Amino acid sequence: MKRTLLLTISASIILAGCGAAEEAQKPTGTSEEATEQVQKQEKAAEEKPETEGTVTAEDSSVDVSQSEEVIQAAPRYEMKSDFSIQNIDNPDEQIVLLTIDDAPDKNALEMAKTLKDLNVKAIFFVNGHFLDTPEEGEVLKQIHQMGFPIGNHTYNHKSLRDLSEEQQRKEIVDLNDRVEELIGERPQFFRAPFGMNTDYSKQVAADEKMLLMNWTYGYDWEKDYQSKEALADIMVNTPLLRNGANLLMHDRQWTSAALGDIVKGLQNKGYKIVDPAQIETPANKETAAQ
């Protein structure tokens, strides 16, 4: 009897101790407060990412927020028949588009950095003969990772009117293939060398779902404007500047030097620099319809 009584007392003590331990692990406060505390802890655990640092050190140059903005941006602008740009819902909005041809030669990356520092965008129209080496390909990747759309300016910058249809197609499609190989997407904009298209090149651009584009004005190939000061002045103060103007520049040392002053001068005159990702193209129009 005594032994049975002792065992019963011992078991009661052990159970009491286990119960005390369990109580110690529970949240303090009223039952409602405890429930709320547990729910908060569970929610925090669910929201905690599985891995820290979605962007690795190798990807640190990629502006993730800008990339998401490019993907999510709905077209707000359209190109008119004279190659100017217009706000679809507000035609009177004072806007201009910046474009840079013959990239990525020696200055395109620096020009992209200048534009990024100023928080504005431009289309970089590239030539395939500037993408033949791994180093050149890396430059293009960096420009794209900074959020700039890549346009097609043909592989070898030859006048399309001097080429056969087969050669024209190769100039355009081979470059699209090369750009896609490097950045994972095909260009949505096409500009022919010297602005000279053929009926066939227009059809190829349409088949490739690219927006055919020329320009409103540009000066940096003229001898009188191959300096920072002269180019910045004419690009901002030309009588050709107007609402929707499509500005042509090139991958040139003097253009790179003048680029910051050109952007600031345009903005001081009340012009907004259009984000090309918001221009309606055959490609994004088709995507929106799906």
Side-chain angles (χ1 to χ4, degrees), residues 40-66:
K40 287 181 179 180
Q41 291 171 347
E42 290 175 346
K43 183 176 181 182
E46 290 174 356
E47 293 178 346
K48 185 177 180 181
E50 294 182 2
T51 57
E52 296 292 333
T54 303
V55 180
T56 65
E58 292 181 350
D59 297 327
S60 60
S61 62
V62 181
D63 190 327
V64 176
S65 63
Q66 286 190 347

Side-chain angles (χ1 to χ4, degrees), residues 119-262:
N119 196 31
V120 297
K121 299 289 181 65
I123 303 171
F124 282 79
F125 283 97
V126 304
N127 297 127
H129 61 80
F130 290 130
L131 300 173
D132 287 334
T133 68
E135 292 77 15
E136 290 169 336
E138 285 302 314
V139 171
L140 184 74
K141 289 179 183 178
Q142 290 183 58
I143 293 171
H144 177 254
Q145 287 170 351
M146 283 190 278
F148 296 100
I150 304 302
N152 183 317
H153 197 39
T154 75
Y155 212 99
N156 295 294
H157 203 274
K158 295 180 179 180
S159 174
L160 296 174
R161 297 179 184 179
D162 296 333
L163 304 178
S164 68
E165 290 187 352
E166 181 181 352
Q167 290 171 323
Q168 291 178 58
R169 180 174 182 79
K170 189 172 180 61
E171 282 287 313
I172 298 169
V173 177
D174 282 7
L175 178 55
N176 275 1
D177 292 343
R178 177 60 174 153
V179 170
E180 184 176 27
E181 177 186 346
L182 290 167
I183 66 172
E185 60 187 55
R186 300 175 82 78
Q188 292 192 25
F189 303 94
F190 175 70
R191 176 177 279 158
F194 319 109
M196 295 190 296
N197 277 287
T198 67
D199 290 340
Y200 185 73
S201 70
K202 293 177 182 178
Q203 184 58 54
V204 174
D207 292 342
E208 288 285 305
K209 301 180 178 60
M210 292 188 290
L211 180 65
L212 195 73
M213 182 176 287
N214 271 349
W215 61 86
T216 305
Y217 71 83
Y219 293 93
D220 64 357
W221 60 90
E222 297 183 16
K223 186 175 181 180
D224 289 344
Y225 303 111
Q226 293 182 6
S227 70
K228 172 185 176 180
E229 294 76 17
L231 182 60
D233 179 66
I234 192 65
M235 291 295 288
V236 173
N237 297 310
T238 175
L240 298 177
L241 175 61
R242 60 181 175 84
N243 182 18
N246 185 336
L247 279 58
L248 170 62
M249 294 174 281
H250 292 80
D251 182 332
R252 303 288 185 269
Q253 185 277 326
W254 51 87
T255 310
S256 178
L259 188 55
D261 289 340
I262 292 170

